[in-house]
Amino acid sequence: MSYADLPLHYGQVPPWLARRMALLGGAIVEAIVLQYGKGEVLRRLSDPCWFQALGCVMGMDWHSSGITTSVMGALKKSVNPMSGELGIYICGGKGRHSRETPAELQVIAERTGLPGDLLVRSSRLSAKVDNTAVQDGFQIYLHSFVVSDTGEWAVIQQGMNDASGMARRYHWHSATLPSFTETPHTFIYGQNQGQILNLTDKGATPAKSGLLQMVQEGPDRMLPEIRKLVMPSHHDVRAMDVDLKRLGSVLAVAHERGLHDFESLLLLEGVGPRTIQSLTLVSEVIYGTPSRFTDPARFSFAHGGKDGHPFPVPTKVYDETIQVLRSAVDKSKLGQTDKQEAIRKLSVLSEKLEKDFIPNENFQQVIERERNTSWMYGGRTVMGKAKPPAKKDKDDPQLKLF
């Protein structure tokens, strides 16, 4: 089984960021439903790499345990008011909210005609498996159950190990579930800490036969190959954490003068280079293929991070990104898909440029430039608002790296 570090971080998301995360997250989910359908939202939520990229593009700390709680909280706040339209419902959450999942599912069942008892059983079994059948030292404290009005569901839950200071995130998807008690996860996301008791492992069949009185499906369907993602413990974003060719092509789309004529082609006139940078990464979250999310830290270059890594959250850019995406989604509902197609083409152009792109070694210069200009875009962190650099280099050239 693949593994990755997910350092435990405590604290709360500041209101100014939480509000924006809900708006952007809701618009992204709505855009995916419009383009690919509600089932695609559930599939992506069960993909740990995509989930991490989503948290990064929403301005959360790029590698910490806080991404899970904050992203699911933001999505629940923004998606549930549109559930009747989208056909997607988000239940549960952190702590006491996780215990409300059964009651929330029964309410949804009454509205939609779904089998409430079966959904509650699925919710409880997924939590029981990760807390009891898989005894890996992590105690579940977050349980989010996402269900569509067709009965398809996904589970995102997270456990903590105070002794090690690590968290582990578990992903489930009903569409790829051969059995609750035999290799049920799409991914278990956490640091390898030695041998564990895993009664869901195929080799544990003799041991669990006398313990679990559940009807087992034959394992005739194999889960897709597990995605591998290793997250480091360092808080800053380093060159080794991102694919420099991919990041470079994104910044080239946004900042290279020779490409500015693409704005009229993509119907995004009036949107500045810095917002184009963010929109390109948001575009990839919506339209990118699974192979594009192996370096989720790259997506923190859309809206930074609340702790200032890789740079303060540029709130003005964030707001403009939300406005452009919201406008595209609303117009798409009316059959006016030009702006939505323009946003999609940003990721297409970035991927096209990437093929022949050769980055140099000025990665840190990119971060410094973002930090030095953050104040111009309403940069904020949990510590306060960004300030202009003490000394401004008048000869600061346009970056040639990307």
Side-chain angles (χ1 to χ4, degrees):
M1 182 168 292
S2 302
Y3 61 89
D5 291 339
L6 191 62
L8 266 174
H9 283 186
Y10 298 93
Q12 295 183 337
V13 179
W16 58 265
L17 179 57
R19 182 173 62 254
R20 291 175 170 89
M21 287 181 67
L23 291 171
L24 181 59
I28 287 174
V29 168
E30 197 170 356
I32 294 172
V33 171
L34 286 171
Q35 186 72 24
Y36 303 108
K38 64 195 79 170
E40 180 66 10
V41 174
L42 299 182
R43 185 195 69 76
R44 294 194 185 201
L45 287 173
S46 69
D47 181 336
C49 297
W50 183 86
F51 188 97
Q52 204 75 10
L54 175 64
C56 288
V57 88
M58 291 168 71
M60 273 303 295
D61 301 327
W62 66 283
H63 70 316
S64 76
S65 60
I67 273 188
T68 312
T69 55
S70 59
V71 168
M72 292 313 302
L75 292 184
K76 186 174 184 179
K77 182 178 180 180
S78 59
V79 170
N80 281 359
M82 301 186 290
S83 290
E85 177 185 351
L86 298 178
I88 296 175
Y89 304 81
I90 300 178
C91 304
K94 181 180 178 182
R96 64 178 178 83
H97 297 291
S98 66
R99 297 188 289 274
E100 297 170 358
T101 305
E104 292 175 332
L105 286 172
Q106 291 291 6
V107 171
I108 293 169
E110 292 177 5
R111 293 177 182 171
T112 61
L114 292 173
D117 291 341
L118 183 58
L119 290 175
V120 170
R121 180 177 182 270
S122 298
S123 169
R124 286 175 171 163
L125 277 174
S126 64
K128 204 72 174 177
V129 166
D130 288 340
N131 229 21
T132 304
V134 180
Q135 295 184 20
D136 52 7
F138 291 82
Q139 186 70 32
I140 299 297
Y141 68 93
L142 176 143
H143 174 84
S144 292
F145 194 97
V146 188
V147 62
S148 74
D149 55 14
T150 64
E152 185 179 352
W153 52 264
V155 170
I156 300 95
Q157 53 194 4
Q158 187 157 289
M160 71 165 68
N161 186 324
D162 283 323
S164 65
M166 300 299 296
R168 178 162 289 170
R169 192 170 69 226
Y170 306 82
H171 292 258
W172 297 63
H173 186 201
S174 62
T176 58
L177 181 68
S179 166
F180 274 102
T181 59
E182 188 164 308
T183 58
H185 304 91
T186 55
F187 195 88
I188 294 181
Y189 188 88
Q191 185 182 32
N192 186 341
Q193 298 186 27
Q195 292 185 338
I196 65 173
L197 171 62
N198 183 1
L199 291 176
T200 68
D201 189 87
K202 288 186 176 182
T205 301
K208 69 187 178 186
S209 61
L211 299 174
L212 302 175
Q213 301 300 317
M214 302 177 185
V215 177
Q216 302 235 359
E217 298 178 19
D220 53 341
R221 291 186 299 161
M222 298 296 291
L223 291 176
E225 183 181 355
I226 294 176
R227 306 288 304 280
K228 295 183 179 181
L229 178 63
V230 177
M231 302 298 285
S233 58
H234 57 264
H235 202 32
D236 55 319
V237 179
R238 303 174 185 175
M240 64 183 178
D241 300 320
V242 303
D243 185 320
L244 293 179
K245 287 190 67 174
R246 290 177 179 172
L247 177 61
S249 63
V250 168
L251 299 184
V253 167
H255 298 285
E256 285 295 327
R257 292 185 179 276
L259 296 173
H260 278 187
D261 59 351
F262 83 98
E263 290 189 26
S264 58
L265 172 66
L266 301 184
L267 304 178
L268 292 174
E269 300 93 331
V271 178
R274 185 56 187 80
T275 302
I276 290 293
Q277 176 180 321
S278 296
L279 281 171
T280 303
L281 289 164
V282 169
S283 173
E284 197 161 323
V285 166
I286 297 172
Y287 302 104
T289 57
S291 64
R292 305 290 298 170
F293 303 105
T294 54
D295 61 328
R298 172 168 53 98
F299 292 86
S300 62
F301 282 82
H303 299 122
K306 69 179 180 65
D307 285 351
H309 296 289
F311 47 83
V313 177
T315 58
K316 293 180 181 178
V317 172
Y318 206 137
D319 291 342
E320 189 169 16
T321 302
I322 293 170
Q323 189 277 324
V324 173
L325 181 57
R326 183 73 263 166
S327 174
V329 169
D330 290 341
K331 288 184 177 180
S332 180
K333 293 178 184 177
L334 301 175
Q336 302 171 18
T337 60
D338 287 352
K339 184 163 285 190
Q340 188 179 43
E341 181 65 10
I343 294 174
R344 185 190 70 82
K345 285 183 178 178
L346 288 173
S347 59
V348 173
L349 178 58
S350 175
E351 188 170 356
K352 182 178 179 181
L353 287 174
E354 179 190 323
K355 292 179 181 179
D356 300 316
F357 192 85
I358 302 176
N360 62 32
E361 300 177 355
N362 291 328
F363 176 76
Q364 195 58 38
Q365 184 184 354
V366 175
I367 294 179
E368 287 302 316
R369 177 179 179 274
E370 289 283 358
R371 288 177 177 170
N372 289 338
T373 59
S374 177
W375 64 277
M376 299 168 56
Y377 304 113
R380 294 186 72 170
T381 68
V382 292
M383 284 76 76
K385 296 182 179 181
K387 299 179 180 179
K391 234 180 176 183
K392 187 174 181 182
D393 186 357
K394 296 180 180 179
D395 298 321
D396 182 24
Q398 171 67 39
L399 289 181
K400 299 178 181 178
L401 159 65
F402 295 122

